[in-house]
Amino acid sequence: MKLQVSSRDASTVPGLLADWLATLLPAGADPAVVLHSGIDANGMSSETLLFDATWTEDGQQRVARYVARVAPAEGDFPVFPSYDLQHQYDAMRVVGELTDVPVPAVSKMEPTGSVLGTPFFLMERIEGVVPQDVLPYTFGDNWLFDGTAEQQRRLQDTTTATLAALHAIPDAASTFAFLDPPYDGANLLERHLARARAWYEFAVPDIGRSETAERALAWLEANLPESSDTVLCWGDARIGNVMYDDFAPVAVLDWEMAAIGPRELDVSWMLFAHWVFQSITDMLEMPGMPDFMNEADVVAAYQEASGETLGDLGWYHVFNGLQWCVIFMRTTARSVHFGEMERPEDIETAMHHKPLMERIMKQVGA
């Protein structure tokens, strides 16, 4: 099973990439490209292409293994209103320069869209395994679900430590100033919330308004917490965006939601993303992984790794629940567009995390 994210004709991609590489390589390089499958089991937004490139340089054949991160075409119902690949590229580059966090090395950037129709950049291809999104890893029959309790805890703790290492980059507000959400607001949280509201309004015309999302927005706006310290937020900080070897991270992927903000945004997102999948298995009366990504365990591991004390996560859980509402709105509209499903009469039926959302909002008194 996979979800279609692009109407691109894959048969044309190798030739287009080879022609583009020829403009970057020495004369007579004569590059050739072999396209492999994208990462079909993961990712709901940008398109990911895996390919090998061969060429001749200094009389010898060279081979490189690349991953291309490609912005979606407007006609393919992108999840986000806009995609700044340059910001993703720069965030990965700076993290690679300043930390030991395993981010793939980025290389060539094509910002114009003249080659594949939308901008893209290349990064090194790393070997490893990723917890799958489709079908979710909580459904069973995959390496993470089948791992021992000790292996699952190793993955949980090493991923949490990796997040803490990202947050430890000094002077994040200035180093990553280009990731400050470009919306009105007196502080970062207000700007994050303004961006989330704009994202929701972007999704509405294609699928309708959501009572759950609007209830969350109203509560969030009325209950903004005090601003805390500012760190680099990976943004889409979930295990489905990490490549693992021996249950430890070897590549931190997908930086399209990167921003500066409070560390609680990332910690909450990592927890909430797992809870979404667990909520789906609960609704289907499947076992899932209810003991994995326990909030108390993750918070304790984060505080030990970072030396920092986290604030209450309730507001951030509601905020991230809102963002998942918009993700489900956009992915549902895209599935309708590609003929994978009928348009639902009520978008609330596509909110696969609705029981989770209602539980969390009850906990915070919303």
Side-chain angles (χ1 to χ4, degrees):
M1 179 180 178
K2 61 176 288 189
L3 298 176
Q4 187 170 350
V5 300
S6 172
S7 57
R8 188 182 312 282
D9 181 358
S11 67
T12 67
V13 171
L16 294 171
L17 288 174
D19 291 345
W20 174 67
L21 287 171
T23 67
L24 305 176
L25 295 169
D30 193 22
V33 167
V34 175
L35 183 67
H36 302 290
S37 171
I39 302 177
D40 295 341
N42 278 54
M44 294 179 250
S45 183
S46 297
E47 186 179 0
T48 303
L49 303 174
L50 281 63
F51 69 94
D52 296 337
T54 58
W55 68 93
T56 301
E57 188 172 347
D58 297 329
Q60 297 184 354
Q61 187 178 63
R62 306 292 177 90
V63 180
R65 302 165 67 247
Y66 288 118
V67 176
R69 189 70 167 168
V70 188
E74 184 176 347
D76 287 341
F77 276 70
V79 170
F80 299 102
S82 62
Y83 288 76
D84 195 323
L85 284 190
Q86 189 64 57
H87 283 179
Q88 295 181 46
Y89 181 98
D90 290 341
M92 295 177 70
R93 176 184 56 79
V94 174
V95 169
E97 292 171 354
L98 297 181
T99 75
D100 293 328
V101 173
V103 293
V106 293
S107 55
K108 301 171 178 61
M109 177 84 184
E110 201 297 291
T112 69
S114 61
V115 176
L116 295 181
T118 57
F120 67 91
F121 66 84
L122 304 186
M123 52 189 171
E124 66 174 326
R125 200 157 90 230
I126 296 173
E127 294 298 326
V129 291
V130 179
Q132 66 189 43
D133 290 348
V134 183
L135 296 166
Y137 59 85
T138 52
F139 278 35
D141 193 27
N142 59 79
W143 64 272
L144 177 56
F145 185 94
D146 295 335
T148 66
E150 291 76 17
Q151 289 171 324
Q152 292 173 359
R153 184 57 180 261
R154 170 175 163 78
L155 182 145
Q156 176 179 300
D157 289 348
T158 55
T159 308
T160 302
T162 298
L163 194 60
L166 284 171
H167 294 172
I169 298 174
D171 302 319
S174 56
T175 301
F176 298 98
F178 60 93
L179 296 177
D180 191 330
Y183 291 85
D184 292 336
N187 57 47
L188 271 172
L189 270 188
E190 288 188 11
R191 295 195 288 278
H192 274 282
L193 189 52
R195 178 167 67 175
R197 176 172 282 283
W199 187 19
Y200 169 70
E201 295 295 346
F202 163 74
V204 165
D206 293 310
I207 204 67
R209 308 196 76 85
S210 163
E211 179 184 353
T212 301
E214 294 187 359
R215 179 179 160 208
L217 272 166
W219 184 86
L220 289 163
E221 290 172 346
N223 292 275
L224 270 168
E226 293 289 329
S227 295
S228 59
D229 58 340
T230 298
V231 302
L232 167 66
C233 288
W234 171 16
D236 201 355
R238 60 190 185 88
I239 63 171
N241 285 333
V242 182
M243 189 166 281
Y244 295 93
D245 181 41
D246 190 25
F247 294 84
V250 292
V252 177
L253 310 169
D254 287 11
W255 288 78
E256 62 200 1
M257 293 176 67
I260 53 174
R263 63 186 72 239
E264 287 85 0
L265 275 176
D266 266 352
V267 176
S268 169
W269 184 265
M270 187 168 70
L271 290 165
F272 203 96
H274 169 70
W275 296 344
V276 169
F277 287 159
Q278 181 60 37
S279 180
I280 295 172
T281 59
D282 289 343
M283 286 191 293
L284 296 174
E285 298 183 343
M286 300 170 65
M289 299 173 65
D291 299 324
F292 184 62
M293 286 289 168
N294 173 273
E295 181 169 347
D297 293 340
V298 169
V299 167
Y302 179 88
Q303 292 183 161
E304 180 178 358
S306 67
E308 301 286 344
T309 300
L310 290 169
D312 183 79
L313 296 180
W315 189 92
Y316 300 94
H317 291 338
V318 176
F319 179 79
N320 286 324
L322 164 67
Q323 295 199 100
W324 274 92
C325 284
V326 184
I327 288 170
F328 285 133
M329 291 171 70
R330 290 304 292 166
T331 54
T332 298
R334 186 171 61 198
S335 291
V336 172
H337 169 72
F338 283 121
E340 296 171 332
M341 64 179 292
E342 296 293 326
R343 180 188 174 100
E345 293 183 6
D346 181 0
I347 186 56
E348 298 298 310
T349 62
M351 300 295 182
H352 304 302
H353 69 321
K354 189 170 182 178
L356 167 65
M357 190 75 174
E358 291 176 343
R359 184 167 69 249
I360 286 176
M361 294 185 73
K362 182 178 180 181
Q363 289 171 354
V364 300

